[in-house]
Amino acid sequence: FSFEMIDQINKALDKAEKEQGSWSLLIVGNNKAFSAGFDLKTMTKPPCLEQHELFMQGGSLVMRLFEFPRPVIFGCSGHALALGAIMLMAGDFIVGKRGKGKIGINEVAIGMTVPVFGVELARLRLSRKHFAKAVLQGSIYSPDEAVECGFLDIAVDENEFQSTCMAEATRLAKLKNPGFSNTKSFIKQETWRKIHATIHEDGKRLLPREAKL
């Protein structure tokens, strides 16, 4: 995730939110990956304002999808690592494609800190059995393993992937508001509060010392 990609997704969400009636949001990765996370050229620098801003924009995008008032379906077409895996957990239904794709919150394994919003989304979404292994140990999962862990709801073969994504998006589009949006809010409000109360302080880790307030 770069600044440009985050901006493009936000513009697409702005356009989608103007739609009337019952609908769903479907986001599918390319043929190789869903996302490998933040732009490492920025995130591996020493703490700096650019790094902090990318973190805040990425976290805000994840939360926007987490709180989105209509059903959010992700099609995980390959690798989903770091922020990519965290973003999956913000969805309402996640379809995975079987194959060589690797899925996991691997920050700790590469010497980085999992952001608080990633920890809290994992606490809500992942199996208790796999929580510590996935978050604290940076374990990586195959698509079928990711179903058991909780990153994915279903994993299908490549020839079924696109049709399954569309079928689930169509199915969930029939859910009407305010029933859907209210109930989604009830389920997610505790996690939402924890993240919004901590995200700005968490982001200060990435500020240069002289910029911290």
Side-chain angles (χ1 to χ4, degrees):
F1 282 90
S2 63
F3 288 110
E4 182 180 4
M5 179 179 288
I6 292 170
D7 182 60
Q8 288 175 354
I9 295 173
N10 274 317
K11 286 179 179 177
L13 295 180
D14 291 342
K15 183 178 179 180
E17 286 181 330
K18 295 176 183 177
E19 294 291 331
Q20 301 296 314
S22 295
W23 52 277
S24 64
L25 178 70
L26 173 62
I27 299 177
V28 181
N30 62 29
N31 289 333
K32 294 182 178 180
F34 179 74
S35 170
F38 279 120
D39 179 7
L40 287 179
K41 290 181 181 179
T42 300
M43 298 308 289
T44 54
K45 293 179 180 179
C48 62
L49 293 175
E50 182 185 16
Q51 192 179 86
H52 172 262
E53 182 60 25
L54 184 59
F55 173 89
M56 294 304 298
Q57 287 192 25
S60 295
L61 175 60
V62 169
M63 291 310 298
R64 184 177 185 183
L65 290 163
F66 181 66
E67 302 162 18
F68 204 72
R70 295 300 303 153
V72 176
I73 301 91
F74 289 132
C76 184
S77 52
H79 302 310
L81 299 168
L83 185 67
I86 291 172
M87 185 165 287
L88 286 181
M89 297 187 295
D92 299 306
F93 196 90
I94 301 94
V95 180
K97 182 174 73 175
R98 291 193 179 104
K100 297 180 180 180
K102 298 177 180 179
I103 300 166
I105 308 167
N106 64 324
E107 280 88 342
V108 172
I110 59 174
M112 300 179 73
T113 301
V114 179
V116 173
F117 63 83
V119 173
E120 293 303 329
L121 290 179
R123 200 188 308 278
L124 177 67
R125 171 86 194 184
L126 301 187
S127 159
R128 289 187 64 185
K129 175 183 175 182
H130 290 278
F131 176 76
K133 186 177 180 182
V135 179
L136 188 57
Q137 299 172 30
S139 296
I140 302 299
Y141 300 88
S142 70
D144 283 311
E145 292 169 339
V147 173
E148 180 183 353
C149 183
F151 285 107
L152 305 178
D153 289 293
I154 186 173
V156 298
D157 293 334
E158 183 174 3
N159 63 346
E160 301 175 315
F161 177 67
Q162 293 291 342
S163 61
T164 301
C165 289
M166 290 301 300
E168 293 299 334
T170 301
R171 177 179 69 87
L172 292 172
K174 297 175 183 177
L175 300 176
K176 294 183 175 12
N177 282 347
F180 174 81
S181 58
N182 285 344
T183 305
K184 180 173 179 175
S185 177
F186 297 155
I187 291 170
K188 298 188 174 186
Q189 62 186 351
E190 183 177 352
T191 301
W192 181 91
R193 289 192 189 107
K194 287 181 180 178
I195 293 172
H196 279 276
T198 57
I199 190 168
H200 291 286
E201 190 65 30
D202 192 29
K204 288 182 180 180
R205 293 184 291 104
L206 304 173
L207 284 172
R209 183 175 299 178
E210 62 273 16
K212 293 182 181 179
L213 302 178

